[in-house]
Each structure stands twice: as C-alpha cells, then as structure tokens.
Amino acid sequence: MKTAILSVMVIVMAVAAQAKGGLDNTIRPGEIWPDDKGVHINAHGGGVMEYKGMYYWFGEHKSDNTSAALVGVTCYASKDLVHWKNMGVALSVSDEPGSDIERGCTLERPKVVYNPATKKFVMWFHLELKGLGYRAARAAVAVSDKPAGPYRFIRSGRVNAYRYAEGVTRDDIAELETIRLNEYEWWTPEWRKVVERGAFMQRDFEGGQMARDMTIFVDDDGKAYHIYSSEENLTLQIAELSADYTFHTGRYVRVAPGGQNEAPAIFKKDGKYWMITSGCTGWDPNEARMFSADNIFGPWTQHPSPCVGPNAKLTFGGQSMYILKVKDKFIFMADIWRPNHPSDARYIWLPIEFDAAGVPVIRWRDSWNMD
Ligand code: DGJ
C-alpha cells in the first residue's frame, strides 16, 4: 500500500513538474513543451542563439487555425535549454497596409545571429507578402540592440540580383541565355537538365534569386552565410553575407541543383560542414537528406539520411529546423507541423551522435536528459 501511495505521489509530482515547465532536465521529443507559464512553446521553424550564457529560442508564432503570421517572431530564453521563459514578441508584424510584414503575411524560419563588430543582433527570415501565396520568395532582415528584441524590420527582397553563382563561366552564361524555360514541360528529363544547368538562376538574374526555407550560419572566422531554397525550391544556394550580416555580398554557390531541398540546417565539426535538409512535401514529413563539405562553398557530397529508429524514413514525423552547437555537442531540432492546428505543432530535439567514421547519426529517443 505504502509503495502504491508513493508511486502515485511520484507520478503526480512528475505531472505537476511537467506542467510547470519541468523540474528535471528531460527533453521529450514530439510532446507538449510548456514554457514558464505552463503554455506550449510557440516558436516554430526557428533557431536558437547563445549570448552571454543565455540561450534565446526564436520562432514563428503560430495561430490556432491559420499558418499566416498574425503576431510575428516570438522569443524564449533559457539557461539550460529545457526550461524556457516567454520573452514575448521579438519582431512584430505590422498593421500598416502594404508593409512587407503586414499582418497576414507569411513569415517563416527566423534565425538570429549576433554581430560582435556592430554589437547588433541580426534576424533573417523567409517572407511571403500578404495575399501572394508563396510567389514573393523573399529574404528579410531585421536588427536589434538587445537579444530578445524588439527587432526593427529593415528590408526584404530577392537576393543577389545581377550575379551568377560562383564557377559559372562565360560559356555557361551564353548557353543559359538561350534557354527558354516555357518551352520545356516540367519534370521531363530535358527540363531537369536545364534546371540543373541553372535555367531558373538565369531567369531570376535581373529580379534576384528566390529565397524560401533558410538558415544562417556563422563560421569560425566570423563570416556569415545565408543558406536557402532557391530556384523554385529545386536548388539550394549558399550566399555570403556582408561583414555586418545585413547584406548579401554577391558571392553564392548552387548546391544539389534540381535536388528539391528545403529546411536546411547546418553545423561544422572538426573542420567539416554537415547539412541536413528535407525534400519538398509541404507540411508533410519526408526522409531527411544529409550533405557534407570541406568548404562552405562546396563541393557538397550527399549521404544517406542520418535518422535511425521508428519512423526514421519520415524523419520521425518532423522536418529539420536548426542544429545547435552546445559546447562540443550538437542538437538536431525539427518541427512536427500541424497545418490544421498550427499552434499545436511539436518539436523534435535529439542529440547528434557520430559513427566510427565520424558520420552523424540521429537516433530516436522518447525522452533524453540534457545533462
Ligand atoms: C515546407 C517548409 O519547410 C515550411 O517552412 C513551409 O514553407 C511549408 N513547406 C509550407 O507548405
């Protein structure tokens, strides 16, 4: 009897702890993750930045029945990556009609990095203008003097207009200029060939390259890169940012042309860059892809998915969101989208392991301890 009472007490305490944001350091992938007020964290598709011993989690605020941005980018703060304090809205959508970030726009995958030279926090995100579906395909930038904001919106647009990717030769350009994309039927081998050559890069030469799903990576030398789905989501591009992190320098490379990669997440270990992406299936999960390179500008080599365990073929039901370096360890983060109830979308956080050859492995765990 005594044991039974004790067990019940333990369960009650555990449930209470969970409701309060958890007293232990357990991460439970796919479950409700309560903040300091006991409310499920609402910061989807985002990323985590460390600044002066504090972690800041930024993400898309999702409403109960629309994926449109009605609030903006939210921020949570934590010292242990498990218990998060809601810091409110870091970048608010605008009520000014016609504003790029007008309430009702689509604002996705915000990432924040700190620039020590300017002492500014720089936020980049994927922006779709209100009422235009996913046609705008813009990158947008906002800055703040404080980590949790408020962030000031600066501008949005396509990127690197009047620039070809690195390595594109005069002969390539001459050939690309002769391609008339509307003469090709989508998904035919001929179309695929011209896509791989860069026909969409050429099409967008004057207007700037499309920029949808994205992340930002700051390298050891302090240089920052914008990594995004471009060319109708068919090809990834990696573009160098200016020293203040708020402009594109014009240097970029194309990665996996025609490979249809979204949701890029990247980290560097022992001098090697690893990138995990997804395929393009809307809000539905698909099998993760993985790439590696010795240089951020490539060449990039594709590997099998790093996921192992139940539902690994569908990335455990999630889509890559961010990879956070914590000391010498890495945490893979993904979103389980709930398009019919967007605010109920869940988070998958799992530690990245490495096999004997140093290749990343992401093993499913129902729960794990941050310690
Ligand atoms: C998949 C992307 O990764 C998400 O960020 C979002 O854009 C959805 N597609 C929309 O269908």
Side-chain angles (χ1 to χ4, degrees):
M1 186 62 183
K2 251 189 186 164
T3 337
I5 292 173
L6 211 66
S7 316
V8 169
M9 276 174 66
V10 168
I11 291 168
V12 168
M13 279 164 68
V15 170
Q18 170 86 352
K20 281 180 66 189
L23 293 177
D24 59 6
N25 275 348
T26 307
I27 300 283
R28 296 179 180 83
E31 294 193 11
I32 290 285
W33 194 334
D35 65 7
D36 58 321
K37 307 233 164 53
V39 178
H40 182 46
I41 292 173
N42 196 335
H44 308 274
V48 177
M49 172 197 66
E50 200 242 294
Y51 178 71
K52 293 196 172 161
M54 187 68 96
Y55 293 98
Y56 296 88
W57 177 350
F58 297 89
E60 307 157 20
H61 174 277
K62 294 273 190 207
S63 305
D64 292 342
N65 40 34
T66 171
S67 291
L70 302 184
V71 172
V73 177
T74 45
C75 177
Y76 293 78
S78 171
K79 280 204 155 124
D80 60 12
L81 290 164
V82 181
H83 306 94
W84 293 91
K85 181 174 158 51
N86 187 341
M87 305 294 284
V89 180
L91 172 72
S92 180
V93 292
S94 166
D95 279 321
E96 197 189 308
S99 155
D100 286 5
I101 55 167
E102 185 177 353
R103 198 180 303 275
C105 66
T106 295
L107 193 168
E108 293 182 338
R109 298 189 178 268
K111 305 287 178 287
V112 174
V113 286
Y114 176 63
N115 187 305
T118 60
K119 297 196 165 45
K120 301 264 187 231
F121 298 87
V122 182
M123 177 190 290
W124 281 92
F125 53 96
H126 163 208
L127 179 72
E128 298 292 347
L129 302 175
K130 185 177 178 180
L132 288 186
Y134 276 82
R135 287 202 288 288
R138 292 186 180 197
V141 61
V143 293
S144 175
D145 296 324
K146 289 180 285 175
Y151 283 75
R152 185 172 51 86
F153 174 71
I154 302 187
R155 86 187 94 82
S156 79
R158 295 277 180 94
V159 303
N160 285 330
Y162 296 100
R163 297 291 187 142
Y164 286 108
E166 298 272 298
V168 176
T169 64
R170 268 177 190 284
D171 286 350
D172 294 331
I173 295 169
E175 191 193 329
L176 287 168
E177 280 173 344
T178 64
I179 295 171
R180 300 281 160 264
L181 263 165
N182 53 7
E183 288 167 12
Y184 292 83
E185 199 181 322
W186 278 60
W187 308 115
T188 57
E190 299 73 35
W191 172 86
R192 197 169 271 284
K193 213 156 133 205
V194 299
V195 167
E196 283 168 24
R197 300 275 317 166
F200 283 108
M201 170 187 66
Q202 170 67 35
R203 183 199 66 182
D204 293 337
F205 180 72
E206 288 176 18
Q209 300 296 309
M210 300 176 97
R212 291 203 182 109
D213 276 12
M214 55 142 283
T215 195
I216 300 287
F217 177 71
V218 179
D219 212 335
D220 307 330
D221 60 2
K223 272 197 179 184
Y225 299 87
H226 177 208
I227 302 163
Y228 51 97
S229 268
S230 192
E231 305 178 33
E232 302 289 354
N233 285 7
L234 292 159
T235 297
L236 286 168
Q237 294 184 354
I238 300 185
E240 185 186 66
L241 294 180
S242 58
D244 72 356
Y245 300 170
T246 68
F247 286 96
H248 291 76
T249 64
R251 286 190 70 210
Y252 70 98
V253 285
R254 304 175 67 229
V255 178
Q260 279 199 291
N261 286 282
E262 279 194 327
I266 183 170
F267 69 101
K268 187 181 186 183
K269 183 176 190 289
D270 304 329
K272 214 180 201 27
Y273 301 85
W274 294 95
M275 177 161 61
I276 297 178
T277 66
S278 74
C280 298
T281 50
W283 301 111
D284 294 335
N286 55 59
E287 185 170 24
R289 293 104 178 264
M290 183 164 70
F291 301 83
S292 70
D294 293 326
N295 185 311
I296 185 111
F297 268 8
W300 287 85
T301 308
Q302 188 159 3
H303 303 261
S305 161
C307 300
V308 175
N311 213 10
K313 280 265 176 235
L314 289 180
T315 318
F316 318 118
Q319 187 185 27
S320 34
M321 155 182 155
Y322 194 70
I323 294 169
L324 177 68
K325 183 172 185 195
V326 184
K327 298 190 181 100
D328 57 345
K329 304 258 191 305
F330 300 88
I331 303 173
F332 171 74
M333 303 171 178
D335 297 284
I336 302 178
W337 301 115
R338 295 269 158 89
N340 296 325
H341 186 177
S343 59
D344 189 37
R346 306 295 173 86
Y347 311 100
I348 297 175
W349 285 26
L350 291 166
I352 300 184
E353 300 164 51
F354 295 88
D355 70 12
V359 177
V361 176
I362 304 172
R363 206 178 299 282
W364 174 259
R365 299 154 191 250
D366 291 332
S367 66
W368 56 284
N369 198 295
M370 189 59 81
D371 299 333

